[in-house]
Amino acid sequence: MAEPTPATSTFDQDFPKNYEHATVEPRWTASWEAQGLYRFDPESSAAKAGRVYAIDTPPPYVSAAHLHTGHAMSYSQAEFVIRYKRMRGHAVFYPMGFDDNGLPTERYVEQKYKIQKGKITRKDFIDLCLKETREGAEVYQQLWKSLGLSVDWRMTYSTIAPRAVKHAQRSFLDLVAKGRLERRADPILWCPTCATALAQADVEAGEEQNRPMHAVRFDIVTSAHLAGLPDHGIIETTRPELVTACVALACHPEDGRFKNLSGIHFQVPLTNLRPERLRADTDDGAVFGDGLLSAPGGEFRQVPLIFDESVDPEFGTGLMMVCTFGDPEDIAKWRTHKLDTQLILDAHGRMVTPNIPELNGKRVHVQEKGSAIYSEARAAAVELLRQYGHLLGIRDNASRASLHERCSTPVEIQVAPQWFIRVLDLKEPLLERGRALNWYPPFMRERYEQWVENLRWDWNISRQRFYGVPFPVWFCNGCETANFAELDEIPVDPLMQAAPRPCSACGSTDLRPEPDVMDTWMTSSLTPLINANWANWPQGALQGKSLECKENSGEFPDIRDQPRPALYPAGVRVQAHEIIRTWLFYTVVKSHLHTDSLPWRDVMISGWGLDRQGKKMSKRAGNFVDPAEVIGKYSADALRYWAAGATLGQDLRYLEDDVKGGKRLLTKLWNATRFAMQYVGTSLPTQAEEPTLADKWVRSELIEVIGQATQGFETYEYNRAVRAVERFFWDTWCDHYLEIIKERFRDGSRFNAGEVAAAQNTLVFGTYALLRVFAPILPFITEELYHKAIKPLLAQSPVSIHVAPWPAADDGQVDVLGGTIWPDAQEHGAVLRDLIGAVRAARTAGKIGGGRPLAMIYAQLPEAIVPLLPEVSRDWLAACRAEGVQLGALPDDLPAATLGELHVAIAVAELVEQA
RNA sequence: AGGCGCGUAGCUCAGCUGGUUAGAGCACCACGUUGACAUCGUGGGGGUCAGCGGUUCAAAUCCGCUCGUGCCUACCA
């Protein structure tokens, strides 16, 4: 009989009664950092064997400085799986990135410093952006560390740093070489507030609101007026201010009302207006001042009637105004019918109508208070149309505007030369890539499919902004040829560096830099390639390498800036669902074009962090909770525990009670481990063990639970893993097993030394296994407990629980105590559990506390259970602190209970003595 | 307007390929706990699994429709 090791003062010192997360967590953060525990090691055997797991998580916009528990949630969720993979023996490559180039940062700086593009020098502006970027990154890194993210901070990238710039420029040049890039002066989406071109993905639908429909009369040109035909047509439009940009009226070819009108022309209202006083004096009209009025005096511009299948005869009057440009429909008809172009908006959304002073210079869109949008240009146009008798009516009409997602301004369409990546011809191969990717959860693929199917624009990557990756391009002032930098000349900023050679076409040395910068997604779409240092790859780096997105092959130069093709394709991309159409889509495009492969094997899509009411947390809404506060109050582990409660792909509400639940779990884990170790002592038992049913049962259950947890992590369903483990721990391990074995250590007469040794082994190895399966979720307390309780007992102990082997192997074999599952142990253990439950119910019925010994348990049991009693009864009696059991009819006068088919009554010790 | 997700206890949510009496946590009630528990344990109340119809020996689960809700996409000049 081994002596139990009771709590001593030494034990209390080594193993404090309370768990202090506020001191423990920062200590381990520092320790892990000092050891370089999470560094990617290309020399490790796992890396050399090709067991590499590279992670591509979102580089947050550091400019935002608004981290909330929603961010903490999604990064934690990714990290659960990352820690699991590390324990499975993968060489984990987990870098953090910061997205600090582009429009989001510019918008932030503009708002913070109340400045605008154009009123500050390009250099000053960029300096401010860089400053905010540095400060933001610092704050973020602090939080990520306190959250326990196992990032290799040496590998951090920034999307404005030279390495990323080089990648973006190489990507550009590679696409030029592949014939994927075009410079075109197409009509493109345009933000009048930001004064830049946009891509389709930058546009979002606004709230539905009243956007009145205006009926406008177009007179038919007199010479074409035939007897019996009408003398005018009526169109309906929500954009009356664009009437003077009309280039055609369109109808459906089968529409009977217009069939006979083939060949006729209409007069465009207001185009006959001229400024009153200066009409005779000048030709160009550039000098009109305020107070001038227009008056009829010129010729009406005439536009044809065109026939187009896309016009819906049922809509409005069946006659549609085509102007340049109100919406994509206009562009389509403009293209098909080769129509004239009448541009009347400038880059800031102001009307350019020199002949109509009342309209000229007026803003098309003005953000009013609330969500209503009032347009001064529209109001003026309506007034003019009414004045000249062209406005036939206004009716209410609900629809929604397309907004620039960064500033919520309704987008316009402009024509200006831009760089485009042709993608519209790639829909099929891109859909094929989407199908080849492993989506977790699978239904998220639908979002991708729909986006690709609905693509309507090539990817415009030009932005008329300051803070972004420059195009490595100089234009020839002589012949307008675009001259590109060579691969060995990047990264380069043409605004700072003169063209390295004369124009390739005409030999001129008169070259000017491309002033535009690249779309921010041009860079962030390269994150898997940036991590692999693709821009530094030699020719043929991927040759002979499987791009099947299976396991990666080995061979790593270990210097940070060296090419690392073995990290590509990455193992997994983790991101939220709302950027499937942007980040995920663009990354797939790039990998398809650059490497003819997928960028990663798996994609894990997380949901949103919601507030208590179920609204998405955001800075703008002001409904966010600061994760640093939560960590301070409840610990990072508790916050992570909350995050682990989300079903993959589903949103999760932030409820403080759930974080408190995590804190409770930590306390329980601490106490249970501390309790267990009191009975183990300072070394493992040498006595051969003789496990009882309780030992066999709990070990068998544990093995099953480990299997469930493994299965959960393998499919990125961390919540299944944590729920299974937590339930086992609380219910089976604490409430049953630990209660059962107390008696083994308390009363030396009941159990022999082999049985005590069995309990001690179970405690040690069960605790070790539990700590390991909890470790991905609760990295801090598991590390602390591992070092306090387990590591000193093991002969060959891992330096950290986070590099300890996962307790299950690929083939499902579990290494806990030899992985033995005893036949019938789970079934018989369930009987034991029920028998204990029945007695506990009887105690409750008789108001008898669990501490009071029982003299006798009277039991009436089903036939099938009776034969199990020899195996079950000792643990049963021990758990119930009962002297004996007697089968048969139950005495009437004792506290009794029924659980299923089990009927029991109990007699406390004193009562028996008195009887 | 299409697509996807969700609708299960007062609240927040699990319930994978259909199979005992539908579960957990929180909240609530009662009882017990000076021997691991800044508490914990035991027991209890509480559900038309949104609704209707279908398939099946068997449906929270599969199918159809309807309603509500959220998101994605498209938007109608």
Side-chain angles (χ1 to χ4, degrees):
Chain A
M1 170 75 212
E3 285 299 312
T5 310
T8 63
S9 57
T10 331
F11 184 85
D12 282 346
Q13 248 175 15
D14 294 347
F15 210 140
K17 196 164 161 51
N18 297 324
Y19 174 63
E20 304 283 354
H21 73 264
T23 54
V24 170
E25 292 191 343
R27 195 176 78 229
W28 283 117
T29 300
S31 168
W32 295 331
E33 189 72 17
Q35 301 174 59
L37 192 66
Y38 303 129
R39 290 187 182 180
F40 172 69
D41 179 7
E43 297 303 316
S44 67
S45 54
K48 288 188 165 162
R51 282 177 66 79
V52 170
Y53 189 72
I55 294 107
D56 184 27
T57 58
Y61 291 125
V62 296
S63 51
H66 64 264
L67 278 177
H68 50 64
T69 45
H71 295 103
M73 178 195 91
S74 54
Y75 282 87
S76 296
Q77 290 168 348
E79 217 252 351
F80 300 151
V81 180
I82 292 166
R83 285 189 179 274
Y84 164 76
K85 291 284 184 182
R86 189 179 289 113
M87 294 176 76
R88 286 305 296 262
H90 289 83
V92 165
F93 180 84
Y94 179 25
M96 182 60 68
F98 293 110
D99 196 359
D100 37 26
N101 86 48
L103 207 38
T105 305
E106 291 199 44
R107 290 288 305 166
Y108 174 76
V109 168
E110 282 182 347
Q111 282 167 10
K112 176 162 179 178
Y113 294 95
K114 308 241 182 312
I115 54 175
Q116 274 205 323
K117 170 191 168 188
K119 306 207 170 135
I120 178 171
T121 69
R122 186 179 177 115
K123 179 178 180 310
D124 288 348
F125 191 86
I126 289 175
D127 285 347
L128 277 180
C129 290
L130 285 169
K131 171 172 169 283
E132 288 301 319
T133 290
R134 269 193 307 273
E135 290 173 5
E138 201 49 44
V139 173
Y140 273 41
Q141 185 164 338
Q142 211 45 48
L143 179 74
W144 293 150
K145 284 185 176 175
S146 69
L147 192 58
L149 298 192
S150 54
V151 168
D152 183 347
W153 290 103
R154 299 171 310 162
M155 300 297 178
T156 302
Y157 64 88
S158 138
T159 57
I160 199 63
R163 180 154 70 109
V165 171
K166 183 173 181 181
H167 277 83
Q169 292 185 338
R170 169 149 178 181
S171 170
F172 176 84
L173 295 175
D174 192 46
L175 295 176
V176 168
K178 289 186 158 90
R180 271 285 147 196
L181 261 172
E182 291 176 5
R183 187 167 172 83
R184 303 198 299 253
D186 273 5
I188 29 109
L189 294 161
W190 187 274
C191 175
T193 297
C194 301
T196 182
L198 301 174
Q200 187 178 348
D202 302 319
V203 175
E204 64 182 9
E207 289 290 306
E208 186 165 289
Q209 51 186 269
N210 184 28
R211 305 175 76 220
M213 193 70 82
H214 304 71
V216 177
R217 197 193 74 212
F218 278 63
D219 292 325
I220 292 179
V221 174
T222 317
S223 61
H225 183 212
L226 304 169
L229 292 178
D231 64 352
H232 69 273
I234 300 169
I235 61 100
E236 285 202 300
T237 181
T238 56
R239 303 292 306 273
E241 69 277 16
L242 295 183
V243 160
T244 61
C246 177
V247 291
L249 296 192
C251 64
H252 193 276
E254 302 299 318
D255 192 333
R257 293 170 293 181
F258 306 108
K259 249 184 168 166
N260 301 332
L261 296 180
S262 178
I264 64 132
H265 284 70
F266 293 90
Q267 295 178 345
V268 180
L270 309 185
T271 54
N272 63 328
L273 299 182
R274 295 292 181 272
E276 180 81 274
R277 260 182 303 159
L278 300 182
R279 176 160 48 95
D281 304 330
T282 179
D283 289 326
D284 61 26
V287 294
F288 301 131
D290 290 334
L292 291 178
L293 295 175
S294 61
E299 295 292 314
F300 280 102
R301 195 159 52 73
Q302 301 184 4
V303 295
L305 176 68
I306 61 170
F307 298 90
D308 196 293
E309 300 273 349
S310 69
V311 179
D312 177 4
E314 303 297 316
F315 188 91
T317 60
L319 196 58
M320 173 183 178
M321 174 174 80
V322 181
C323 53
T324 51
F325 295 93
D327 63 28
E329 286 299 313
D330 289 339
I331 300 175
K333 293 181 184 57
W334 172 78
R335 283 225 170 88
T336 311
H337 300 275
K338 301 198 168 20
L339 299 171
D340 189 16
T341 307
Q342 294 285 331
L343 299 176
I344 59 168
L345 288 182
D346 73 7
H348 300 281
R350 290 183 298 242
M351 302 292 293
V352 182
T353 55
N355 282 330
I356 313 175
E358 296 93 326
L359 215 47
N360 197 30
K362 292 246 179 356
R363 288 186 64 92
V364 172
H365 294 112
V366 179
Q367 288 279 114
E368 286 282 272
K369 279 182 186 168
S371 61
I373 291 169
Y374 168 81
S375 160
E376 56 179 18
R378 188 166 307 157
V382 165
E383 190 47 46
L384 285 166
L385 288 168
R386 178 172 300 158
Q387 184 182 335
Y388 292 104
H390 289 285
L391 185 69
L392 301 183
I394 302 178
R395 64 178 173 91
D396 285 351
N397 170 55
S399 74
R400 54 190 74 222
S402 294
L403 309 178
H404 179 205
E405 65 160 356
R406 299 288 168 202
C407 69
S408 297
T409 305
V411 296
E412 294 293 342
I413 291 169
Q414 283 276 324
V415 180
Q418 312 280 336
W419 292 102
F420 290 91
I421 298 178
R422 273 191 296 112
V423 290
L424 288 178
D425 60 328
L426 294 177
K427 286 189 182 184
E428 253 324 303
L430 289 174
L431 288 171
E432 198 46 52
R433 293 289 181 201
R435 289 190 274 268
L437 190 56
N438 299 317
W439 294 79
Y440 298 94
F443 68 82
M444 287 294 181
R445 187 166 67 85
E446 290 298 324
R447 304 261 184 124
Y448 174 86
E449 292 250 332
Q450 233 176 351
W451 176 255
V452 174
E453 281 166 1
N454 283 311
L455 278 178
R456 301 179 69 168
W457 306 74
D458 282 329
W459 180 10
N460 167 28
I461 56 169
S462 295
R463 296 292 179 274
Q464 286 67 49
R465 299 294 303 188
F466 291 159
Y467 188 59
V469 175
F471 287 89
V473 175
W474 296 263
F475 292 108
C476 176
N477 281 326
C479 67
E480 289 303 316
T481 298
N483 287 268
F484 301 100
E486 295 293 329
L487 280 183
D488 57 6
E489 292 165 352
I490 57 174
V492 64
D493 183 355
L495 286 170
M496 311 298 286
Q497 284 167 256
R501 65 195 75 80
C503 174
S504 59
C506 70
S508 165
T509 53
D510 183 14
L511 300 169
R512 67 176 193 279
E514 158 70 278
D516 289 355
V517 295
M518 294 181 190
D519 177 10
T520 182
W521 296 112
M522 185 69 185
T523 315
S524 44
S525 57
L526 296 169
T527 51
L529 287 165
I530 291 172
N531 285 329
N533 263 322
W534 166 72
N536 294 342
W537 289 3
Q539 288 291 322
L542 291 184
Q543 255 172 26
K545 176 169 159 44
S546 165
L547 294 177
E548 297 281 303
C549 295
K550 299 254 164 49
E551 289 287 341
N552 297 286
S553 58
E555 293 173 43
F556 301 88
D558 62 350
I559 303 166
R560 182 179 162 175
D561 285 325
Q562 288 301 300
R564 295 185 288 263
L567 292 176
Y568 184 89
V572 68
R573 151 67 63 86
V574 185
Q575 62 163 79
H577 48 69
E578 85 277 14
I579 49 174
I580 288 174
R581 67 178 197 165
T582 50
W583 196 35
L584 191 145
F585 168 71
Y586 286 138
T587 311
V588 170
V589 168
K590 285 294 187 68
S591 288
H592 176 71
L593 293 176
H594 290 312
T595 64
D596 192 23
S597 73
L598 278 171
W600 344 265
R601 180 177 64 244
D602 301 338
V603 56
M604 165 180 171
I605 304 290
S606 65
W608 287 341
L610 307 179
D611 69 9
R612 171 173 287 277
Q613 280 73 38
K615 295 277 177 217
K616 186 188 179 190
M617 270 195 200
S618 74
K619 187 189 185 188
R620 194 189 281 180
N623 59 346
F624 62 96
V625 178
D626 179 2
E629 278 180 32
V630 178
I631 291 171
K633 193 167 174 188
Y634 298 107
S635 78
D637 281 340
L639 181 57
R640 294 168 62 106
Y641 169 84
W642 162 72
T647 301
L648 182 62
Q650 301 291 342
D651 300 340
L652 179 68
R653 288 181 201 226
Y654 178 76
L655 297 171
E656 191 165 336
D657 276 350
D658 288 345
V659 182
K660 284 183 186 167
K663 186 76 165 56
R664 260 202 321 280
L665 175 61
L666 301 187
T667 304
K668 189 84 175 172
L669 196 54
W670 182 264
N671 286 319
T673 305
R674 193 168 181 275
F675 171 72
M677 291 311 124
Q678 286 182 3
Y679 292 115
V680 171
T682 54
S683 61
L684 292 176
T686 50
Q687 171 78 39
E689 57 171 29
E690 298 173 45
T692 71
L693 172 62
D695 303 313
K696 294 174 184 173
W697 171 59
V698 79
R699 292 183 193 183
S700 303
E701 291 287 329
L702 176 57
I703 286 164
E704 185 172 316
V705 162
I706 290 170
Q708 289 167 5
T710 305
Q711 186 56 34
F713 280 119
E714 280 296 325
T715 55
Y716 296 91
E717 293 177 281
Y718 46 81
N719 65 319
R720 287 195 179 195
V722 71
R723 289 205 191 281
V725 173
E726 182 187 20
R727 189 162 176 177
F728 166 84
F729 165 68
W730 212 289
D731 187 34
T732 303
W733 183 257
C734 291
D735 292 346
H736 286 91
Y737 184 68
L738 295 186
E739 291 300 328
I740 290 170
I741 61 160
K742 277 179 181 173
E743 199 66 14
R744 239 185 266 189
F745 296 102
R746 182 179 294 139
D747 182 351
S749 67
R750 277 195 171 183
F751 293 89
N752 65 39
E755 289 165 334
V756 170
Q760 289 173 319
N761 273 332
T762 308
L763 288 174
V764 171
F765 291 99
T767 297
Y768 186 28
L770 272 171
L771 291 178
R772 280 181 288 165
V773 290
F774 270 132
I777 313 290
L778 313 171
F780 291 103
I781 194 170
T782 53
E783 180 80 318
E784 180 75 1
L785 287 172
Y786 166 70
H787 283 267
K788 283 215 179 312
I790 302 299
K791 191 164 185 294
L793 296 173
L794 301 181
Q796 289 177 315
S797 55
V799 297
S800 161
I801 196 160
H802 300 300
V803 293
W806 185 256
D810 284 332
D811 58 4
Q813 288 296 310
V814 174
D815 75 355
V816 177
L817 294 159
T820 310
I821 293 186
W822 283 268
D824 304 329
Q826 285 168 289
E827 197 185 322
H828 296 181
V831 171
L832 171 59
R833 165 201 291 261
D834 286 347
L835 287 169
I836 294 170
V839 173
R840 285 174 172 173
R843 281 183 183 268
T844 298
K847 302 186 180 181
I848 298 161
R852 293 178 69 180
L854 303 178
M856 188 60 67
I857 298 172
Y858 300 93
Q860 206 172 11
L861 305 174
E863 288 287 318
I865 286 186
V866 175
L868 302 181
L869 280 181
E871 186 190 7
V872 169
S873 59
R874 287 206 313 147
D875 285 322
W876 182 28
L877 295 179
C880 300
R881 298 196 185 177
E883 297 293 328
V885 57
Q886 188 174 319
L887 297 182
L890 307 184
D892 309 332
D893 53 346
L894 292 175
T898 294
L899 186 73
E901 292 182 279
L902 312 178
H903 307 279
V904 300
I906 56 174
V908 294
E910 293 84 346
L911 290 179
V912 172
E913 282 168 14
Q914 283 161 13

